[in-house]
């Protein structure tokens, strides 16, 4: 199963919106076929592994398949993998976890068992869940897993008051940030960041065959159609105030304008998360300014923080999050450290809000 998880990780940047799944077929302790889920509409991990076994000239009848997620049991872009495993004559199927997708939810394993195949689940489940944390979030909550990234000095500053921020952290941290971008289905920022920095918000520092969708929170539709964030691929601009003329220009360029106002005339952020879930976004990567960061945290829209800390002090400058002052420590938002790792001279911290169910 550990090897199957390694195969699943090969699809880290490519399987969206499908889960990252690996499959290893074993006979007498020898791997006779292995594979992972291909981009949406192509072969799932089980089919990829069966094809690999066939290409090697191996007979899979009676063999054991280790798969990191329960084989699917429904027709989507591809036929059910459970049917293919039954036809192939597998003797045993071990799944790391049951698929929370309501269209599967134990039915794939049940079909295999009904066909006389020995089944079990739960082996290395924690690792399998972590690999597909966004897919599980969308299936179970209808929401993407929201990861908010920021880079700061040790005193929590992200930029000088004049906006200078390149570069607080080193090259390794910046490349790692691009790897996290690459695994996300979408990258979200706000109009303030677009105006101040004119960012591209794409993946450049690591190799990827798929660029995440870009989402811009822009309440008053102030975005310049020539902004770099809109170049190269359709983006989703989320507004609160209608502007038919501007909307027509953006839509003519291939972008989608989503109107989601709240009672204050701003973008309804929780409604936006639900909309992104409906649009098959598994993992949402946020790179925004302190105001939007703070709003997302206040609205309970963030699951974890991805913080890169540099060994420096910037003094009076711009902070990571714009949050209201507290009058009691009982009001503080609690997180738990999930992972801490050095990257060159910097430190990467992954911290999850205690309100979030993994």
């Amino acid at each position: 199963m550990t090897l199957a998880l390694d195969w699943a990780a090969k699809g880290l940047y490519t399987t969206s919106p499908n889960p990252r799944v690996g499959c290893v077929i074993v006979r007498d302790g020898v791997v006779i076929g292995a594979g992972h889920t291909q981009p949406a509409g192509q072969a799932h991990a089980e089919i990829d592994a069966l094809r690999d076994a066939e290409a090697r000239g191996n007979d899979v009848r009676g063999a054991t398949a280790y798969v990191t997620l329960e084989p699917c049991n429904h027709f989507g872009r591809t036929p059910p993998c459970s049917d293919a495993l039954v036809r192939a004559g597998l003797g045993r199927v071990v799944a790391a976890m049951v698929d929370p997708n309501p269209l599967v939810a134990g039915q794939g394993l049940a079909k295999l068992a009904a066909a006389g195949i020995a089944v079990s689940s739960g082996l290395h489940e924690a690792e399998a869940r972590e690999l597909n944390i966004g897919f599980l979030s969308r299936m179970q909550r209808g929401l993407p897993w929201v990861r908010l990234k920021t880079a700061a000095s040790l005193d929590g500053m992200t930029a000088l008051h004049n906006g200078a921020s390149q570069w607080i952290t080193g090259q390794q941290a910046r490349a790692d940030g691009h790897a996290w971008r690459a695994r996300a289905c979408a990258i979200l920022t706000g109009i303030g960041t677009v105006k101040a920095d004119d960012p591209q918000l794409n993946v450049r520092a690591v190799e990827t065959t798929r660029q995440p969708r870009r989402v811009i929170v822009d309440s008053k539709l102030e975005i310049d159609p020539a902004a770099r964030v809109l170049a190269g691929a359709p983006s989703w601009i989320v507004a609160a105030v209608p502007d038919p003329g501007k909307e027509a220009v953006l839509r003519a360029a291939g972008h989608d304008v989503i109107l989601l106002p709240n009672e204050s005339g701003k973008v309804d952020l929780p409604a936006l998360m639900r909309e992104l879930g409906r649009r098959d976004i598994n993992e949402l990567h946020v790179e925004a300014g302190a105001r939007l960061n703070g709003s997302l945290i206040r609205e309970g829209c963030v699951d974890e923080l991805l913080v890169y800390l540099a060994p420096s002090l910037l003094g009076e400058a711009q902070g990571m999050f714009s949050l209201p002052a507290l009058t009691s420590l009982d009001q503080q938002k609690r997180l738990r450290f999930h992972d801490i790792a050095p990257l060159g001279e910097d430190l990467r911290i992954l911290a999850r809000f205690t309100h979030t169910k993994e």
Side-chain angles (χ1 to χ4, degrees):
M1 188 62 79
T2 300
L3 183 57
L5 287 164
D6 290 342
W7 274 90
K10 294 177 185 290
L12 190 65
Y13 303 157
T14 57
T15 65
S16 174
N18 291 335
R20 301 143 180 156
V21 183
C23 179
V24 172
I25 303 173
V26 177
R27 184 194 302 283
D28 299 326
V30 177
V31 174
I32 60 174
H36 65 91
T37 297
Q38 302 300 305
Q42 299 180 38
H44 287 189
E46 299 91 327
I47 308 304
D48 200 38
L50 290 171
R51 290 174 179 171
D52 180 54
E54 182 180 9
R56 297 193 206 181
N58 293 326
D59 185 355
V60 302
R61 287 176 294 179
T64 297
Y66 293 88
V67 60
T68 59
L69 186 68
E70 175 187 10
C72 63
N73 187 52
H74 64 288
F75 283 88
R77 296 182 182 90
T78 58
C81 292
S82 53
D83 287 349
L85 294 173
V86 170
R87 289 194 303 269
L90 271 293
R92 180 176 175 231
V93 173
V94 181
M97 62 176 293
V98 173
D99 190 340
N101 185 340
L103 297 174
V104 185
Q107 297 176 62
L109 291 176
K111 175 178 281 190
L112 296 173
I117 298 174
V119 299
S120 62
S121 64
L123 182 63
H124 286 292
E125 180 171 351
E127 295 93 325
R129 295 184 67 86
E130 191 67 31
L131 191 60
N132 281 309
I133 198 165
F135 176 78
L136 301 181
S137 175
R138 183 166 65 84
M139 289 296 109
Q140 295 171 328
R141 306 186 300 174
L143 303 170
W145 181 264
V146 181
R147 182 179 297 116
L148 192 158
K149 177 261 182 181
T150 188
S153 59
L154 280 181
D155 49 353
M157 299 297 127
T158 62
L160 302 182
H161 279 311
N162 63 11
S165 63
Q166 295 183 352
W167 300 100
I168 293 174
T169 54
Q171 184 175 356
Q172 284 184 250
R174 297 197 298 274
D176 190 71
H178 275 254
W180 286 95
R181 280 185 183 182
R183 67 175 283 167
C185 301
I187 302 174
L188 180 143
T189 195
I191 186 61
T193 297
V194 173
K195 284 181 169 182
D197 301 335
D198 195 21
Q200 297 180 68
L201 278 189
N202 57 8
V203 179
R204 301 182 301 279
V206 298
E207 289 188 14
T208 181
T209 58
R210 175 193 62 88
Q211 288 289 342
R213 175 82 61 172
R214 287 166 291 187
V215 182
I216 302 98
V217 175
D218 182 8
S219 292
K220 299 178 183 178
L221 270 184
E222 300 173 276
I223 194 165
D224 183 344
R228 294 202 301 170
V229 75
L230 300 182
S235 298
W236 296 340
I237 301 99
V238 190
V241 180
D243 183 337
K246 190 70 165 288
E247 291 173 44
V249 170
L250 291 168
R251 287 184 173 129
H255 307 297
D256 193 2
V257 178
I258 306 167
L259 293 173
L260 290 174
N262 62 16
E263 295 178 353
S264 302
K266 303 288 187 180
V267 169
D268 187 327
L269 296 173
L272 171 57
M273 297 305 123
R274 293 191 293 271
E275 178 64 20
L276 293 177
R278 283 192 289 269
R279 292 181 179 223
D280 290 341
I281 300 300
N282 292 338
E283 292 185 23
L284 178 66
H285 181 94
V286 177
E287 293 194 26
R291 289 179 61 185
L292 181 53
N293 286 348
S295 296
L296 287 164
I297 292 171
R298 286 197 307 274
E299 295 286 344
C301 296
V302 180
D303 296 302
E304 67 183 0
L305 302 180
L306 174 63
V307 181
Y308 296 91
L309 284 181
S312 65
L313 301 174
L314 295 186
E316 185 75 21
Q318 299 181 32
M320 292 187 278
F321 319 111
S322 179
L323 293 168
L326 306 182
T327 57
S328 167
L329 286 176
D330 293 337
Q331 298 171 320
Q332 65 185 302
K333 294 184 181 296
R334 302 292 303 181
L335 297 96
R336 61 188 178 279
F337 291 124
H338 179 73
D339 182 69
I340 301 174
L343 291 173
E345 295 183 348
D346 305 312
L347 198 64
R348 183 188 68 200
I349 298 173
L350 202 62
R352 293 180 173 170
F353 284 92
T354 54
H355 65 73
T356 299
K357 290 183 65 177
E358 298 173 22

